[in-house]
Amino acid sequence: MVGGVKLDRVLVYGLGRSGRGAARFLAREGTQGEWLDARPAPEDLALMEELGWERGDAARPYRTVVAAPGVPIDHPDLTALRAAGAEVIGEVALAARLRPALPMVGVTGTAGKGSTTVLIAHLLRACGLNAREGGNIDPPLLDVVDTAQVAVVELSSFQLERVPGVRLPVAVITNLGVDHIDRHGTVGAYHAAKLNITAAQEAGDVLIVPADLTVPTRARLQPFTPARLALADGTPVMDAAALPDGIHPANAAAALLAAEALLRHLGRPVDAAVLASALGTAAPVKGRFETVARVGGVRFIEDSIATRTLAVQAALERAAPPVAWLVGGRDKGADLAPLRTAAAGRVALVVAFGEDGEALARGLGLPYRVVPGDTGDESMDRAVQAGLDALEGAGTVLLAPIGTSFDQFRDYRERGDSFRRAAQALAARSGGHG
C-alpha cells in the first residue's frame, strides 16, 4: 500500500540511479516488484538481491511499469508491455501520484536546468521551507519525497516523455535549443517533450519562460497551457559578475520567480530582501562553471558538462576575458556558429584535446593549439598548462569542451575531476591557490 494506493504487478524497467531509487521507494512501502535491465551493473544486482526482487519478463502482464529515463519510450519491450495493458510511467509520475500532497516545482530546458533547480531549492530553504532538489540531478526524486516539504525537480526531455497527469503548480523552462535528436528524431519532437512540463498545469499555475523566448515558440505555448506565463529577464536581477559561479542571470531571474510563485501557492509571505540575500549566498553546482583554482589573476573554470551549444555559449559569455578555451572530446554535431560569435574578442586561444578536439577547433575558426595525450589525464594536464601559458597573468582557463567525454573518460564528471586535479596541481606548483 503506497499513499493509500495499492500497487501490485509492478515492474521497474531499467535500473541505474533512477531505477534503484524507484525500487528502494517501492520496497520501503511494502511493494514487492520485479526488475528488468539488459545490462545491470553490480550495484543494481546487489540491491535487487537485498530487496528480494526477481528478474521480470517483458512477456508477463504487469499493471504498472516504472521506466528509467534512459529507456526510449518506444523501446520494443515498453511497446509490448503497453499493448498487454501496462501503464508506463517514470519516477516523477510515481512520486506525484503516490505523494499527491507534496508540492513540486519542475525545471527543464536545454541548458541551465540543473543550476536553476539547485538555486530554487536554496532560495526556498532561505525562506524557511525544507526544500529538496532531485530528479535528473542527484539524488533521485524518490529518495527525497518523504523528507521534503517541497521538491524541486530537474526534468530531462527523457523524463518528460513519461509524466502522464503530473500537475506542477510552478514550472520553469530555462530555454529551448537543440539536443538529443538521436533520441527524439526531430527538434519539434524534442521541444514537444520539453513542453510536457506544462501539459497538466491548470489556470492559476505558473509557467516561467525566458523573456527572449521567440514569439513563435511563445505563441505555441499560449494555447497549449492555461497556466500564467511569467517572463524571466536576467538584466535587472544582478550584475553577472556579482552572481555566484555557474548561475546565469536569466536562470537567477527564473529561480526568483519560481520561488516567489511557490511561496504564493503555499500561502506564505514573499520577502524580496530574504530572496535577494539568499541569491548572493548560493553555492555553485559542482562541475558547472565552477572556479576550481587560481594562479595569480588567472581563474580555472570547470564546466565539463557544457556540451550543448547553449551551455557552452553561456560559459563563454560569463568567463572573464581573455579566455583560453579547452575544447575536445567526441563531437556530437554541435552548432558552432553561435559559439564563434560568443568567442569573438574574448578567446585568446582554443586548446584542443581528445578525439575530435582539432576538428572542433578548426570549425571554430579561432587560433588553436592541439595537445596530445595517450590518456585522458595526460591530455588534460597538457591542456591546462597550455591554457595558462596562453594568458599573460590574467584571464580564464575555461573547460567548456563541446564534445562528449566518452573518448577518454567514463563521463563528464570524471573529465571534470581530471581538469580540477590538473588545475589545482598547477596552482600548487605556481604558488597559487585552489
Side-chain angles (χ1 to χ4, degrees), residues 28 34-35 98 129 134 141 179 238 255 270 304 321 378 395 410 418:
R28 285 196 303 270
E34 296 180 3
W35 64 273
L98 304 180
L129 285 167
L141 173 62
D179 199 19
M238 186 185 291
V270 175
S304 179
E378 188 175 64
R410 183 174 63 250
S418 181

Side-chain angles (χ1 to χ4, degrees), residues 40-58:
E43 57 265 39
D44 296 336
L45 294 173
L47 178 62
M48 294 305 103
E49 183 176 356
E50 178 187 333
L51 299 180
W53 283 26
E54 295 183 357
R55 183 188 289 267
D57 186 332

